[in-house]
Amino acid sequence: MLIDGFASPVWFALFAAVAAVVVGYLLVQRRRKRHVLRFANLELLDRVAPTRPGWPRHVPAALFTVAFVLLTIGLAGPTAEAKIPRNRATVMLTVDVSLSMVATDIQPSRIKAAQASAKSFVEHMTPGINLGLLTYGGAATIEVSPTTERRPVMTAIDGMKLQPSTATGDAIAAALQAIQSFGNVIPGGPPPAVIVLMSDGKQTVGRDEFEMAQEAAKQKIPVNTISFGTADGTIELDGKEVPVPVDDDSLHKLADISGGQFFKADTSEKLQQVYNNLGEEIGYETTERDVSKPFFALGSLVAITAAGAALLISQRLP
């Protein structure tokens, strides 16, 4: 068990009392030994004083000491980090469906790999998360408003259709609007929100993506960007082979401005890993939990064992 801290470390002062008892026990044993050696007739001593067990007679005292130590640690309130599922959060999964997504530098294609990984992300998202889906090419479309239902999102991912151009700024603006609209109808105020944006190319039309990233930062909604593809990607357009290299720099800058994280995925396996990591970060929160119960339980068990050992060895409690 990994302990990160203690809620009430003042209880450790009891260790001084435990140490005093141990020292007192040792002094008593030493004094008893000196009294025994004063007898001149050891044969007579053997007759009037029954033979005591050797070292086993110290076992109960040792066990009681261990029990006191464990119970003191329990009183100090040990804590440890624990991941618990979030029950209030909004995530807008924002996927680039521009024509460059047909590139096959990622097998079987960028769009097919993106759909498979996005569905896995949705499937493993914790139940309490409100998850929405937005797709964008030359325009942004809210496919599914934030919801705890996963089936509509999965269906919408399967039905993604490609379109020309890349309006990243419009996509961020639409995602922010969807989050705000959803937050306005949630009892208790809007929950914390994040945008997960996956793209493979540079913005070509629409609002400035960096200005929208600044707006996201003002609203405290980070944009986590996933750069998906390689520098060698190409597509066939009007009978010509057109290069569609991934644009890492813009996506990295967008994440930095908004306060989000940037991830690079140049294989379907890496994309899946990125989504897995994001699912852990978004779906769970780390909290400090009390872990004193095992110490109380073990301390009590050791104390009971000590009492039993004392009765067995010397027919009395220490």
Side-chain angles (χ1 to χ4, degrees), residues 19-298:
V21 170
V22 172
V23 171
Y25 180 83
L26 294 175
L27 290 175
V28 168
Q29 296 302 312
R30 186 175 181 183
R31 183 180 178 185
R32 180 179 296 172
K33 185 175 182 180
R34 285 203 303 267
H35 285 326
V36 169
L37 292 177
R38 287 177 184 176
F39 280 86
N41 193 336
L42 295 180
E43 183 178 350
L44 178 62
L45 176 63
D46 289 337
R47 294 176 183 175
V48 300
T51 302
R52 289 177 173 270
W55 64 265
R57 73 179 187 276
H58 301 300
V59 170
L63 289 175
F64 269 118
T65 301
V66 172
F68 291 150
V69 169
L70 291 170
L71 292 173
T72 299
I73 294 175
L75 288 171
T79 59
E81 285 190 351
K83 284 187 175 182
I84 60 173
R86 294 184 189 272
N87 56 14
R88 286 188 85 243
T90 302
V91 179
M92 281 303 299
L93 179 58
T94 304
V95 181
D96 180 354
V97 292
S98 58
L99 294 179
S100 58
M101 289 292 285
V102 298
T104 56
D105 53 335
I106 307 284
Q107 293 296 321
S109 69
R110 290 180 183 179
I111 187 61
K112 292 295 184 183
Q115 287 174 305
S117 296
K119 288 174 68 175
S120 177
F121 174 73
V122 172
E123 184 179 2
H124 293 94
M125 183 59 65
T126 51
I129 299 294
N130 297 291
L131 181 64
L133 176 67
L134 181 150
T135 60
Y136 73 99
T141 303
I142 303 293
E143 304 287 356
V144 181
S145 295
T147 176
T148 55
E149 296 293 327
R150 302 298 181 237
R151 179 51 51 190
V153 182
M154 300 279 276
T155 301
I157 290 173
D158 285 332
M160 286 179 178
K161 296 185 182 302
L162 301 181
Q163 52 181 285
S165 302
T166 305
T168 307
D170 289 349
I172 297 173
L176 292 174
Q177 181 59 48
I179 290 170
Q180 184 180 35
S181 298
F182 179 74
N184 289 338
V185 299
I186 294 296
V194 63
I195 296 172
V196 177
L197 185 147
M198 195 210 73
S199 178
D200 68 343
K202 187 185 293 290
Q203 173 177 303
T204 59
V205 296
R207 306 186 200 186
D208 184 270
E209 59 184 323
F210 303 125
E211 290 182 4
M212 296 315 304
Q214 291 174 348
E215 180 60 31
K218 289 179 184 178
Q219 296 185 29
K220 297 183 179 180
I221 300 176
V223 181
N224 293 328
T225 59
I226 305 172
S227 175
F228 185 48
T230 70
D232 302 322
T234 61
I235 63 171
E236 187 175 319
L237 191 62
D238 297 330
K240 297 180 181 179
E241 188 176 84
V242 179
V244 285
V246 70
D247 183 21
D248 292 339
D249 294 340
S250 294
L251 292 170
H252 203 308
K253 183 178 178 180
L254 195 160
D256 288 342
I257 293 174
S258 68
Q261 300 179 71
F262 168 78
F263 301 91
K264 180 174 177 59
D266 53 12
T267 66
S268 57
E269 291 77 17
K270 287 184 180 179
L271 179 62
Q272 184 62 62
Q273 187 59 52
V274 167
Y275 271 128
N276 289 344
N277 293 339
L278 281 171
E280 284 289 316
E281 291 183 18
I282 296 171
Y284 294 84
E285 59 183 330
T286 301
T287 184
E288 291 289 330
R289 66 182 180 93
D290 180 84
V291 292
S292 60
K293 187 174 181 179
F295 289 96
F296 284 126
L298 186 58

